[in-house]
Amino acid sequence: MCSMFKLPYFCSLTIWSNHLIRIMDISSETEKKILEAARKVFETKGYNGTRMQKIADEAGISKASLHYYFRSKDNLFEKIFNDALDEYLPLVSTWAGNDLSWEEKVEQFTKNMIEFIRHGRMLFLIREVNRNPQILEERIKRKAKSQNKFVVYFETVQKSKSIRTVDPNYLYIILNSICSFPAINKEMFQRALRLSSKQYEALMEGYARAAADFFIHAIKKQ
């Protein structure tokens, strides 16, 4: 047990360290709340419709506290955008070399892509890139010499004569459109099909499989 007669310096240091750890834990928890709130507001309102006060209200903190952690709306937006982009990029690795057949790769990509889209982040990325195409400029510059992995992969698959001869650039656009269109046009499809929101979500549960099957059979040589 610590006392004034036994290692007083180390006792004080331990107390100070424990206090610092508590402060760091609180700080980390607050930053986490801010990022969760910012993600929700940016994905709902977009960059132009988002205000720092709204994020502060959503996080349950003061606007001054928000600015303490993130100096500006731009800094916070950059963090949210890059996090969303980092979640998307692993999907690209689907087309890297492994033991899966091209049909299995299509099934895996379609399932993961639609799941990603349904959580809202893909729509957020699409909207913000359309708003400001320059937002991807630095990342594109770093990868300027690399080809699109999907295009490279399907150029190889075409050489095996197992699929129809179609420009892989078209295939890339078609597959990504099949995955994203139902989410982008959710309200329109819901009304056209006379479905409730719950019914539409239930329909989307089986959509990934149907979309993958359609794409595979459309390009596969019979």
Side-chain angles (χ1 to χ4, degrees), residues 1-218:
M1 183 174 179
C2 295
S3 70
M4 62 181 293
F5 303 108
K6 184 178 181 182
L7 301 176
Y9 171 77
F10 290 105
C11 290
S12 299
L13 182 61
T14 299
I15 294 171
W16 179 83
S17 297
N18 289 339
H19 179 63
L20 181 61
I21 290 171
R22 284 195 295 271
I23 292 175
M24 291 175 66
D25 286 342
I26 293 171
S27 178
S28 177
E29 186 61 31
T30 301
E31 184 171 334
K32 182 180 177 182
K33 286 171 59 178
I34 290 172
L35 291 175
E36 289 174 351
R39 184 176 295 108
K40 180 178 179 179
V41 176
F42 276 122
E43 287 181 358
T44 303
K45 302 290 186 180
Y47 176 87
N48 290 334
T50 294
R51 300 291 179 268
M52 290 291 270
Q53 184 63 60
K54 177 63 177 175
I55 295 174
D57 292 343
E58 186 71 32
I61 62 174
S62 68
K63 189 175 179 181
S65 295
L66 176 59
H67 280 286
Y68 173 79
Y69 286 92
F70 293 92
R71 297 293 182 184
S72 69
K73 173 180 163 180
D74 285 343
N75 287 345
L76 189 49
F77 172 80
E78 183 178 359
K79 169 64 175 170
I80 299 303
F81 182 86
N82 285 335
D83 284 352
L85 195 60
D86 286 341
E87 289 182 36
Y88 167 73
L89 291 178
L91 295 175
V92 178
S93 67
T94 304
W95 313 111
N98 57 38
D99 295 331
L100 296 179
S101 67
W102 70 267
E103 294 97 332
E104 290 171 326
K105 284 178 179 287
V106 168
E107 291 170 356
Q108 182 184 77
F109 175 83
T110 303
K111 178 179 180 295
N112 293 339
M113 181 68 155
I114 290 175
E115 186 66 20
F116 179 75
I117 293 169
R118 289 179 66 193
H119 282 88
R121 290 178 291 274
M122 189 64 181
L123 300 185
F124 165 68
L125 290 174
I126 291 171
R127 181 176 60 231
E128 296 306 324
V129 170
N130 284 331
R131 176 186 66 82
N132 178 19
Q134 299 303 312
I135 201 168
L136 289 178
E137 184 176 353
E138 289 304 315
R139 285 185 180 249
I140 292 173
K141 280 181 180 179
R142 292 197 293 268
K143 296 179 177 293
K145 295 182 180 180
S146 64
Q147 290 181 278
N148 181 288
K149 288 182 172 59
F150 176 98
V151 172
V152 171
Y153 179 74
F154 273 93
E155 283 176 345
T156 302
V157 174
Q158 283 189 346
K159 291 176 182 177
S160 70
K161 308 294 185 182
S162 60
I163 65 172
R164 301 175 187 274
T165 301
V166 183
D167 187 335
N169 292 287
Y170 292 152
L171 296 180
Y172 176 80
I173 293 172
I174 291 169
L175 182 56
N176 280 273
S177 297
I178 287 173
C179 291
S180 61
F181 204 65
I184 295 173
N185 292 278
K186 176 183 176 181
E187 297 299 325
M188 182 183 74
F189 286 145
Q190 247 184 247
R191 285 168 172 72
L193 295 172
R194 312 305 195 263
L195 299 174
S196 67
S197 181
K198 185 176 181 179
Q199 289 172 323
Y200 191 78
E201 286 302 312
L203 183 67
M204 287 298 98
E205 290 294 333
Y207 179 75
R209 180 67 193 184
D213 285 346
F214 179 84
F215 183 83
I216 290 168
H217 286 92

